[in-house]
């Protein structure tokens, strides 16, 4: 049976009860297309506005008139929408459940407590001199304080830049410098699988390269960390003298809410900028539709807040919808590989959203760790971050979901703010491995390399022909890069960077990145970034990095490295290079394979032919293609002979 014809129809009770059934979905798609202003104006009433927008959609992707504005005269505050407006009815409802790395550590925060904590943190930030429009870098573990810090920034109109706790001091420094943060919020340490992550020490090292006014240090493990006089402030001290209330700053819908750095095919990671109104609307609208969410249900998205998935579905979309959202500091296989499922039972999780890489790793350990749990509380499963292979999909469905739970495979990107392509559990028949169909208001096309539109069942590059409210508004500090990266390849269209197939039923199957971006365990890594880290080593003359299929990670990182004349390849050097990349970027960027190569395949004009390197890394040696245009066809032979892995 091919997966393209393998259907899992919408269960009858879902069609009857869901927020959106098939007819509702078709009607919404037509309405969003026919009269976008009326459709989105109505939909945007889900938010509480200080001033409701009268201007709705004002967009042009054309080069000479390029602009993207949504709800442009609307005024609102994100923290108000995520907390204050729920207080009248839900002050005592749990807003955040915390599950620590150590299974004996957990807790809960009600909406009333969240309100007080966010207000206090906001007042502390104000006392540190943070004002509307200032940038604040957040480098924290997956603890409620991370959500509190984000919401505190939103409350006073500061723009946050969350840096994933797995990134290195150099990466932190680069991000602080790029957006000009004046304050960093961090913790003494984080915990991961019983190991301590030296967050404050990493910030200290980053701040030898770039400076900020203040570092706010939250006590998490209680470790004794050095405090730099005049710069560092202990949160527990600073909070003693502030009020429990802090007014919400009225923000224009198009004021920036946050910057989040993500890797592209060239250069350093770019600061993806999202705004207040369109982003919050999209996070909340998609959270309700895709997860068929009802206020008070226990929602667990396993992503770290250092990634966009954590921004949109652990924090903003979930809390805007009065959710009980679960924050988990640990990992799926600590203290044992049944952890996810014991947490589901412990906190009676109803909706569970994770990445295929985690499922593949758990699947390898068999069904027993899953079967030890009841999972009766679950009613919906979700997947995000990379294509889910049909085997992993079926395991998720049969073993985790016992055949009774729909799976929403959600395709989106840091740039899109929220989900764009996904089944709706009450409207869409499922096919294992397909993200199925676009949400209302999302207009997709497949194009070939020349931009020719491909009709019907076909494969090509995935583009989006019109804007949606959650679309990113810019690359921080580089308007030109925003246009060039996304709107120049196919004029008038947003290019996703993904390849995609559309089948006979109009279902979309994302096939992966077609640019020089690698998707490692659902995280984006630019090949150019890894190459830059490698060539910093004194012994390295040149490096070329490509992705290759990896059973667990989806894609692994394969590096071809040419050493300086006279340097002998060795395992020590290989280890040193891996250490170098971990140090420059972080552990997630560590190459899975390093091949020492006396020469790289280049065209006569000196361009590295990555197509050939990809084939070698993939061990697809029968189809290396035409190598006759190479400056020295002999290098390929050597590369094939000395392939590693
Ligand atoms: C890239 C975006 C989406 C938030 C987390 C990752 C890949 C994402 C899927 C999916 C196939 C997917 C794409 C996309 N991707 N979700 N359901 N099926 N591929 O955000 O780091 O910005 O990465 O992740 O290649 O372009 P990101």
């Amino acid at each position: 049976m091919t997966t393209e014809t393998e259907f899992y129809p919408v269960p009858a009770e879902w069609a009857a009860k869901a927020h959106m059934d098939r007819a509702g979905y078709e009607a919404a798609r037509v309405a969003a297309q026919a009269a976008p202003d009326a459709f989105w104006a109505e939909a945007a009433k889900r938010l509480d506005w200080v001033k409701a927008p009268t201007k709705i959609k004002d967009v042009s992707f054309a080069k000479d008139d390029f602009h993207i504005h949504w709800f442009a005269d609307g005024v609102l505050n994100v923290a108000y929408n995520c907390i204050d407006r729920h207080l009248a009815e839900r002050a005592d409802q749990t807003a955040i459940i915390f599950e620590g790395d150590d299974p004996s550590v957990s807790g809960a925060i009600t909406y009333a407590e969240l309100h007080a904590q966010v207000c206090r943190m906001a007042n502390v930030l104000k006392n540190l001199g943070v004002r509307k429009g200032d940038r604040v870098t957040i480098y924290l573990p997956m603890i409620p304080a991370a959500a509190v810090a984000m919401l505190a920034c939103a409350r006073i109109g500061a723009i946050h830049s969350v840096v994933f706790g797995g990134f290195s001091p150099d990466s932190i420094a680069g991000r602080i410098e790029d957006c000009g943060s004046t304050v960093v919020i961090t913790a003494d340490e984080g915990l991961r699988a019983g190991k301590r992550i030296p967050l404050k020490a990493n910030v200290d090292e980053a701040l030898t390269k770039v400076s900020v006014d203040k570092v706010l240090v939250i006590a998490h493990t209680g470790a004794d960390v050095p405090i730099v006089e005049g710069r560092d402030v202990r949160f527990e001290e600073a909070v003693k003298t502030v009020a429990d209330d802090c007014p919400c700053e009225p923000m224009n819908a198009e004021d920036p809410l946050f910057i989040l750095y993500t890797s592209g095919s060239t250069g350093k990671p770019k600061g993806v900028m999202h705004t207040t109104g369109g982003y919050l609307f999209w996070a909340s609208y998609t959270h309700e539709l895709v997860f068929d969410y009802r206020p008070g249900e226990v929602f667990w998205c396993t992503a770290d807040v250092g990634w966009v998935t954590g921004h949109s579905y652990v924090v903003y979309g979930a809390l805007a919808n009065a959710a009980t959202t679960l924050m988990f500091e640990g990992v799926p296989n600590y203290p044992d590989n049944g952890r996810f499922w014991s947490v589901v039972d412990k906190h009676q999780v109803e909706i569970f959203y994770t990445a295929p890489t985690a499922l593949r790793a758990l699947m390898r350990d068999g069904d027993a760790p899953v079967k030890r749990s009841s999972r009766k509380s679950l009613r919906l499963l979700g997947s995000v971050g990379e294509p889910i292979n049909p085997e992993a999909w079926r395991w998720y469905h049969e073993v985790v979901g016992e055949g009774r739970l729909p799976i929403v495979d959600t395709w989106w990107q840091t740039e899109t703010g929220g989900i764009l392509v996904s089944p709706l559990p009450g409207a869409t028949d499922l096919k294992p491995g397909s993200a199925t169909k676009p949400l209302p208001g999302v207009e997709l096309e497949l194009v070939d390399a020349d931009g020719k539109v491909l009709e019907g069942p076909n494969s090509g590059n995935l583009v989006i022909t019109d804007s949606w409210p959650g679309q990113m508004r810019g690359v921080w500090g580089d308007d030109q890069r925003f246009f060039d990266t996304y709107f120049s390849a196919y004029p008038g269209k947003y290019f996703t960077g993904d390849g995609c197939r559309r089948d006979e039923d109009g279902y979309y199957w994302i096939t992966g990145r077609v640019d020089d971006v690698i998707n490692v365990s659902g995280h984006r890594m630019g090949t150019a970034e890894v190459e830059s880290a490698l060539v910093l080593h004194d012994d390295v003359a040149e490096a070329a990095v490509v992705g290759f299929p990896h059973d667990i990670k989806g894609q692994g990182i394969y590096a071809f490295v040419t050493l300086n004349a006279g340097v002998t390849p060795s395992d020590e050097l290989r280890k040193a290079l891996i250490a170098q990349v971990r140090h420059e970027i972080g552990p997630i960027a560590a190459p899975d394979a390093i091949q020492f190569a006396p020469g790289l395949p280049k065209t006569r004009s000196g361009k590295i032919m990555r197509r050939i390197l990809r084939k070698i890394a993939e061990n697809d040696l029968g189809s290396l293609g035409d190598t006759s245009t190479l400056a020295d066809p002999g290098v390929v032979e050597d590369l094939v002979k000395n392939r590693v892995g």
Side-chain angles (χ1 to χ4, degrees):
M1 177 158 56
T2 73
T3 53
E4 290 205 359
T5 54
E6 182 185 356
F7 264 114
Y8 290 72
V10 175
E13 71 272 19
W14 273 89
K17 278 200 209 142
H19 283 302
M20 207 175 245
D21 63 7
R22 202 180 306 266
Y25 169 72
E26 298 300 341
R29 277 199 55 77
V30 169
Q33 213 172 28
D37 278 10
F39 182 82
W40 296 117
E42 183 59 31
K45 290 181 182 162
R46 63 184 301 109
L47 299 182
D48 274 32
W49 299 84
V50 176
K51 179 184 176 300
T54 62
K55 299 180 182 156
I56 305 301
K57 179 185 176 200
D58 175 15
V59 175
S60 162
F61 289 172
K63 188 176 180 148
D64 50 10
D65 182 31
F66 182 72
H67 62 277
I68 304 170
H69 304 307
W70 282 90
F71 313 125
D73 62 346
V75 177
L76 74 166
N77 181 280
V78 165
Y80 182 87
N81 275 278
C82 290
I83 308 169
D84 302 48
R85 66 164 169 164
H86 307 318
L87 291 177
E89 284 180 31
R90 302 179 179 275
D92 298 328
Q93 181 195 305
T94 299
I96 301 177
I97 297 172
F98 173 59
E99 172 74 14
D101 183 59
D102 176 340
S104 70
V105 175
S106 58
I109 297 174
T110 65
Y111 271 96
E113 287 159 355
L114 182 64
H115 177 261
Q117 288 194 20
V118 168
C119 286
R120 287 196 291 262
M121 174 88 77
N123 285 328
V124 167
L125 291 175
K126 279 191 189 167
N127 286 347
L128 297 181
V130 178
R131 299 287 173 263
K132 178 175 178 173
D134 290 351
R135 275 78 62 210
V136 173
T137 293
I138 298 176
Y139 186 67
L140 285 171
M142 267 298 279
I143 56 176
V148 170
M150 293 162 75
L151 290 160
C153 289
R155 196 166 189 94
I156 62 176
I159 303 166
H160 61 68
S161 160
V162 181
V163 178
F164 173 56
F167 278 122
S168 68
D170 277 315
S171 298
I172 306 168
R175 286 156 169 78
I176 290 175
E177 186 165 40
D178 185 80
C179 69
S181 292
T182 50
V183 169
V184 179
I185 307 176
T186 191
D188 45 12
E189 294 176 325
L191 290 170
R192 237 179 112 77
K195 287 204 301 249
R196 289 160 180 266
I197 313 292
L199 298 174
K200 172 62 164 62
N202 287 349
V203 169
D204 287 340
E205 195 182 327
L207 294 180
T208 61
K209 306 212 161 84
V210 55
S211 72
V212 296
D213 297 340
K214 296 287 174 193
V215 177
L216 188 60
V217 186
I218 294 170
H220 177 46
T221 64
D224 190 18
V225 291
I227 291 290
V228 176
E229 209 49 49
R231 186 196 74 183
D232 298 354
V233 175
R234 287 195 187 274
F235 176 74
E236 296 71 29
E237 290 297 317
V239 79
K240 282 183 186 158
T241 53
V242 298
D244 281 348
D245 202 6
C246 169
C248 290
E249 187 76 35
M251 303 296 286
N252 181 270
E254 285 293 337
D255 283 336
L257 174 64
F258 66 81
I259 302 163
L260 183 58
Y261 287 85
T262 192
S263 297
S265 33
T266 55
K268 285 194 283 184
K270 46 186 175 284
V272 168
M273 197 266 284
H274 281 289
T275 56
T276 301
Y279 169 81
L280 185 67
F281 167 76
W282 195 252
S284 127
Y285 176 73
T286 55
H287 176 261
E288 180 177 275
L289 274 192
V290 173
F291 301 108
D292 194 52
Y293 191 76
R294 327 265 146 166
E297 285 178 328
V298 180
F299 181 82
W300 183 15
C301 164
T302 66
D304 192 284
V305 290
W307 310 109
V308 74
T309 311
H311 281 60
S312 299
Y313 299 110
V314 175
V315 182
Y316 290 121
L319 295 176
N321 293 344
T324 295
T325 186
L326 193 150
M327 294 183 78
F328 174 44
E329 188 182 12
V331 298
N333 56 0
Y334 176 82
D336 60 57
N337 52 17
R339 185 73 191 275
F340 270 178
W341 324 120
S342 61
V343 173
V344 165
D345 282 358
K346 178 175 174 184
H347 298 295
Q348 293 293 293
V349 172
E350 290 163 275
I351 302 163
F352 178 74
Y353 188 35
T354 197
T357 186
L359 297 171
R360 286 192 299 264
L362 295 173
M363 189 167 93
R364 205 178 42 173
D365 294 332
D367 303 356
V370 186
K371 299 239 157 100
R372 282 202 298 271
S373 65
S374 130
R375 286 158 286 111
K376 285 283 177 292
S377 57
L378 289 174
R379 66 179 201 91
L380 181 66
L381 302 173
S383 172
V384 61
E386 44 171 332
I388 180 165
N389 45 313
E391 299 70 32
W393 195 100
R394 287 190 206 102
W395 185 79
Y396 202 21
H397 190 258
E398 300 314 323
V399 180
V400 177
E402 293 180 346
R404 69 183 178 91
L405 307 177
I407 297 176
V408 288
D409 173 4
T410 64
W411 176 89
W412 56 298
Q413 311 178 298
T414 306
E415 293 88 338
T416 69
I419 297 162
L420 293 193
V421 185
S422 171
L424 300 181
T428 321
D429 300 331
L430 308 174
K431 296 190 189 193
S434 170
T436 74
K437 299 211 173 182
L439 298 188
V442 176
E443 301 301 329
L444 306 178
E445 254 175 25
L446 300 181
V447 296
D448 69 11
D450 303 320
K452 186 165 110 24
V453 178
L454 305 167
E455 307 288 350
N458 227 321
S459 287
N461 291 338
L462 183 67
V463 298
I464 307 175
T465 58
D466 202 352
S467 186
W468 64 99
Q471 182 166 30
M472 74 183 275
R473 297 296 195 273
V475 171
W476 186 261
D478 199 344
D479 292 342
Q480 194 58 43
R481 190 170 175 196
F482 180 44
F483 183 85
D484 291 348
T485 307
Y486 303 102
F487 302 94
S488 65
Y490 304 108
K493 298 170 186 179
Y494 169 87
F495 178 38
T496 62
D498 278 333
C500 183
R501 188 170 84 251
R502 185 174 46 222
D503 71 14
E504 299 284 345
D505 298 305
Y507 276 46
Y508 289 83
W509 302 71
I510 308 293
T511 49
R513 303 289 305 196
V514 295
D515 52 8
D516 289 319
V517 169
I518 314 181
N519 192 324
V520 189
S521 302
H523 302 316
R524 246 159 94 166
M525 196 43 62
T527 54
E529 276 174 81
V530 183
E531 289 163 4
S532 311
L534 287 167
V535 298
L536 281 177
H537 194 282
D538 284 345
D539 292 339
V540 174
E542 196 171 30
V545 167
V546 296
F548 72 105
H550 187 288
D551 284 349
I552 303 291
K553 299 179 176 184
Q555 278 190 298
I557 300 178
Y558 195 112
F560 295 89
V561 172
T562 305
L563 298 173
N564 285 324
V567 179
T568 322
S570 67
D571 271 345
E572 277 76 69
L573 186 51
R574 195 173 265 127
K575 283 190 195 124
L577 293 178
I578 291 174
Q580 166 103 19
V581 176
R582 293 173 73 98
H583 184 262
E584 291 298 323
I585 305 172
I588 50 169
D592 299 278
I594 293 184
Q595 175 171 355
F596 293 116
L600 296 175
K602 291 185 185 167
T603 61
R604 288 190 193 97
S605 61
K607 210 167 132 31
I608 295 176
M609 294 187 75
R610 290 169 178 282
R611 174 178 57 80
I612 293 176
L613 294 178
R614 256 181 238 124
K615 294 283 181 197
I616 294 171
E618 287 166 10
N619 207 6
D620 183 7
L621 306 175
S623 57
L624 290 181
D626 183 11
T627 55
S628 65
T629 55
L630 287 175
D632 174 8
V635 297
V636 173
E637 223 169 285
D638 176 86
L639 290 173
V640 169
K641 203 168 76 213
N642 294 307
R643 196 185 163 274
V644 295

